[in-house]
């Protein structure tokens, strides 16, 4: 019965408390044994206020401190129930909760706007690369001058030198992340560069790990890439690199990849799948028109996500200030 929860209860992840896994139940149900169900005693703390108390740094830092175990630190209820926290009066709790829940509603609306914008963007991408987009299809190898992956061995890293790009440098943000890279020597880079020579206007795509993350190369900085990253060089007279980067997120491309990998879990994208991928034939001007529309739509999603993130940060900061002892 300790794993059963009711609508309005708090489900708190008691393993790895530093991950701050907490949610207010929107229905009745049963939770994992790795969580605990917390229900407010309304004569001491209001149900509408308790979630914010438990998300505060004061509570979370204490939760981390009392966790036991090294590989998977876990909170024991017998220890947590003895912890003492300063709480405002019930009237103050109600006023604080009203402000924070109103802020949460704003953050939720921004989140919904961001999700809707991303969904609309995906539909627009799929339309741009549908089989009926131009009436004529070709394969990607006919519109590119090179499709290759990076060096097939782990290099000897150096303290400085030329950046060495792996999948994580593509997944950390919207562009290529050069702030957290390892480096290789100029000598090794020259050898690697003979095989894979990224240049402005090219596209990088993750082919292992987190699959299909595409990044347009918008820098003249030289760098090398690992085998987990594919380099696609568009024929500049036939294919715009930004258009190609968006193509990597289309259903047309992914349907092709899944079809060639039928019967097995998709763990890698092989180079031959890039080369044989179908893509509509469009004039460069038309490609650039699509890119302009897609970039505008992506900007809307990014702005909404920014506001949602900032709203959540504001809620957290306000909670911490209001609950200072």
């Amino acid at each position: 019965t300790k794993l059963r929860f009711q609508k309005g209860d708090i489900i708190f992840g008691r393993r790895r408390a530093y991950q701050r896994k907490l949610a207010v139940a929107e229905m009745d149900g049963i939770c994992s044994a790795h969580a605990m169900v917390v229900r407010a005693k309304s004569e001491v703390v209001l149900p509408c206020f308790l979630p914010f108390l438990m998300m505060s740094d004061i509570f979370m830092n204490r939760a981390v401190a009392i966790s036991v175990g090294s590989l998977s630190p876990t909170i024991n209820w017998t220890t947590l129930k003895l912890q003492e926290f300063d709480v405002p009066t019930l009237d103050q709790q109600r006023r604080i909760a009203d402000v924070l829940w109103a802020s949460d509603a704003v953050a939720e609306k921004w989140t919904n706007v961001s999700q809707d914008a991303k969904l609309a963007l995906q539909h627009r991408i799929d339309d741009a690369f549908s089989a009926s987009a131009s009436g004529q299809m070709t394969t990607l190898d006919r519109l590119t001058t090179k499709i290759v992956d990076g060096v097939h061995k782990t290099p000897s890293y150096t303290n400085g030198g030329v950046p060495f790009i792996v999948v994580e440098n593509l997944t950390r943000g919207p562009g290529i992340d050069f702030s957290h890279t390892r480096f290789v020597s100029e000598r090794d880079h020259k050898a690697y560069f003979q095989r894979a020579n990224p240049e402005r206007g090219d596209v990088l795509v993750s082919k292992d790990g987190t699959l299909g993350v595409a990044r347009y190369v918008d820098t003249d900085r030289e760098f090398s890439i690992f085998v987990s990253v594919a380099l696609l060089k568009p024929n500049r007279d036939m294919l715009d690199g930004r258009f190609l980067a968006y193509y990597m997120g289309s259903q047309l491309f992914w349907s092709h990849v899944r079809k060639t990998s039928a019967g097995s879990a998709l763990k890698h994208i092989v180079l031959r799948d890039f080369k044989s991928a179908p893509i509509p034939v469009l004039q460069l001007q038309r490609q650039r028109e699509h890119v302009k529309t897609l970039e505008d739509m992506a900007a809307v999603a990014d702005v909404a996500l920014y506001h949602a993130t900032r709203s959540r940060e504001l809620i957290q900061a306000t909670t911490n200030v209001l609950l200072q002892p």
Side-chain angles (χ1 to χ4, degrees), residues 54-71:
M54 294 183 65
M55 279 301 296
S56 69
D57 288 348
I58 294 172
F59 179 89
M60 286 295 180
N61 290 341
R62 185 80 60 81
V64 171
I66 65 174
S67 298
V68 294
S70 56
L71 295 179

Side-chain angles (χ1 to χ4, degrees), residues 11-27:
I11 304 173
F12 176 52
R14 64 192 191 95
R15 295 182 63 184
R16 303 185 182 94
Y18 56 84
Q19 295 179 342
R20 293 175 177 255
K21 294 178 288 188
L22 180 151
V24 178
E26 298 180 344
M27 63 194 76

Side-chain angles (χ1 to χ4, degrees), residues 199-258:
E199 300 172 300
R200 182 184 291 272
D202 294 343
V203 175
L204 304 180
V205 186
S206 57
K207 56 186 281 288
D208 297 292
T210 305
L211 300 179
V213 178
R215 296 290 181 255
Y216 176 73
V217 179
D218 60 356
T219 179
D220 294 316
R221 185 177 186 179
E222 285 197 5
F223 58 90
S224 288
I225 61 174
F226 194 40
V227 62
S228 56
V229 177
L231 168 66
L232 282 64
K233 282 185 167 294
N235 182 328
R236 308 301 170 89
D237 295 328
M238 304 172 66
L239 183 60
D240 186 286
R242 295 167 300 171
F243 188 70
L244 173 59
Y246 277 115
Y247 167 73
M248 291 299 149
S250 69
Q251 286 296 321
L252 181 63
F253 173 73
W254 283 102
S255 294
H256 165 75
V257 172
R258 293 189 184 99

Side-chain angles (χ1 to χ4, degrees), residues 5 37 41 44 47 107 143 168-169 174 178 181-182 189 204 217-218 232-233 243 245 254 272 284 324:
F5 59 85
V37 179
K41 288 185 176 181
V44 178
L143 299 182
E168 288 74 13
N169 299 113
F178 285 97
T181 61
R182 291 183 174 181
H189 166 66
L204 304 180
V217 179
D218 60 356
L232 282 64
K233 282 185 167 294
F243 188 70
W254 283 102
R272 67 173 178 271
L284 278 174
Q324 284 181 347

